[in-house]
Amino acid sequence: QVQLAESGGGLVQAGGSLRLSCAVSGRSISTSAMGWFRQAPGKEREFVAAITGLSDGTYYSATVKGRFTISKDNARNIVYLEMNSLMPEDTAVYFCAAPSTYSYTGPSAVRYAYWGPGTQVTVSS
């Protein structure tokens, strides 16, 4: 059974940084793509970033590209999301997710079968 647990959220001022972590059990991230999504109040869940399993290829939404970095530690089975130059619009609950298959097949949330409970990120202006 795949289980995901996010941590690292909190309150930060605009322009600040946070690093989110996602501890994964039940699946090796060395061979599995992993993704980060976020959901703001009253909005749909949206893709943030993904990293592939074997080649460590990365994908980002246009709104975070250049500010956020996804990475992973295969030995510890942890996925990270480094967030810099945070803006109030980045305020959301951030979710770690694993796809139904082991491959990255696009940014749609329906491709992801396993989700963590989420961690709140609040950016004050």
Side-chain angles (χ1 to χ4, degrees):
Q1 182 180 1
V2 180
Q3 293 185 317
L4 311 175
E6 306 92 340
S7 62
L11 174 64
V12 64
Q13 288 189 331
S17 299
L18 279 176
R19 187 176 80 158
L20 305 183
S21 299
C22 174
V24 181
S25 61
R27 176 180 288 190
S28 173
I29 65 172
S30 64
T31 56
S32 175
M34 294 294 300
W36 284 96
F37 289 76
R38 67 186 183 185
Q39 187 166 19
K43 295 188 177 181
E44 292 188 355
R45 192 167 296 191
E46 65 171 348
F47 172 78
V48 174
I51 187 166
T52 62
L54 295 175
S55 63
D56 290 357
T58 56
Y59 301 85
Y60 297 93
S61 71
T63 57
V64 308
K65 193 171 186 178
R67 300 188 298 123
F68 291 11
T69 302
I70 187 171
S71 63
K72 59 178 182 165
D73 184 333
N74 288 337
R76 299 179 66 194
N77 226 38
I78 296 176
V79 183
Y80 301 101
L81 184 68
E82 182 76 32
M83 306 185 295
N84 299 312
S85 302
L86 282 162
M87 303 183 295
E89 305 90 276
D90 295 316
T91 294
V93 178
Y94 283 71
F95 299 91
C96 177
S100 307
T101 66
Y102 278 64
S103 301
Y104 173 73
T105 55
S108 175
V110 299
R111 302 287 187 178
Y112 291 77
Y114 307 99
W115 296 84
T119 185
Q120 176 71 46
V121 171
T122 302
V123 184
S124 63
S125 57

